[in-house]
Amino acid sequence: MQVDNKQWDLEVITDLFESWDIDLILKIPLSNTLDVDTRYWSKEPSGFYSVKSSYQYLQELKGDWSIQMESDLWRILWKVKVPPKVLHFSWKAISGCLPTRTQLLRIKHVPVESLCVFCNSEEESILHVLGDCPFANSCWNRSGVGLNFSTANTFTDCFKGFSVGGRSSMFEEVLMVGWGIWKAQNELLWKGRSSTVAEVVRLARNAHFSWMVA
């Protein structure tokens, strides 16, 4: 391109491209200004790249993000009064990056056994280990939260439904028990220590109470 004349450099184009490509290139309209081209990130009004907008865009591509989810679920989540480590766990579970055996095997390509450490009969996905597994189900029933996993395809779906259902006042219990289940999974996997359903719920509530009064 001849910048000063604001027209295509026909000699260069003819030298580099085939005739059909040349025709297409010459049909591309050129700007009437002499402004220098700059990089522009279309996902931000400012044009500058940000990790937040990039993450949101990737979630949109996967179908896991919506304006409703951003305005309701995430806003509620970050305001829940639970320990920071529980919020971090919750974010990983809801955003689909909790390192379950299925995640490690299929996404990270780590050669691990895929079966759930609790029931040893189903693949340990996020939805399974925190909801569908009989052990996890028993924990939810004992806590009295009563999360419905039967119609959810992902753990995120379950949390969306819980938020839309107007039960955000119980989010503290939900996040703490979910964290308690995951902690019990880690205790069994890495230390060989089994936990009872009562222990998981009691640990979750005690950890929450201790943090609140600290």
Side-chain angles (χ1 to χ4, degrees), residues 10 12-26:
L10 186 58
V12 174
I13 293 176
T14 304
D15 186 49
L16 295 176
F17 299 97
E18 299 291 341
S19 58
W20 53 82
D21 290 327
I22 294 174
D23 291 338
L24 292 174
I25 293 172
L26 294 178

Side-chain angles (χ1 to χ4, degrees), residues 54-86:
S54 177
Y55 173 78
Q56 179 174 338
Y57 176 60
L58 292 174
Q59 296 306 308
E60 288 174 350
L61 292 178
K62 295 193 299 182
D64 292 339
W65 186 284
S66 66
I67 299 300
Q68 184 68 29
M69 181 178 179
E70 180 181 14
S71 61
D72 293 339
L73 179 58
W74 292 121
R75 186 180 302 168
I76 292 171
L77 177 66
W78 299 128
K79 291 182 178 180
V80 178
K81 296 180 180 179
V82 294
K85 63 183 178 182
V86 177

Side-chain angles (χ1 to χ4, degrees), residues 135-145 172-173 176-181 184 195-209:
F135 179 80
N137 242 313
S138 296
C139 291
W140 292 116
N141 290 335
R142 187 176 183 88
S143 71
V145 173
E172 293 178 6
E173 180 81 357
M176 292 305 305
V177 173
W179 168 80
I181 295 171
S195 302
T196 65
V197 169
E199 287 174 337
V200 169
V201 177
R202 184 167 59 251
L203 169 68
R205 290 175 176 171
N206 288 344
H208 186 223
F209 177 78

Side-chain angles (χ1 to χ4, degrees), residues 100-103 114 122-130:
T100 61
R101 286 181 159 189
T102 300
Q103 296 288 104
S114 64
E122 300 287 341
E123 286 194 353
E124 190 187 84
S125 64
I126 298 175
L127 179 62
H128 175 80
V129 73
L130 296 181

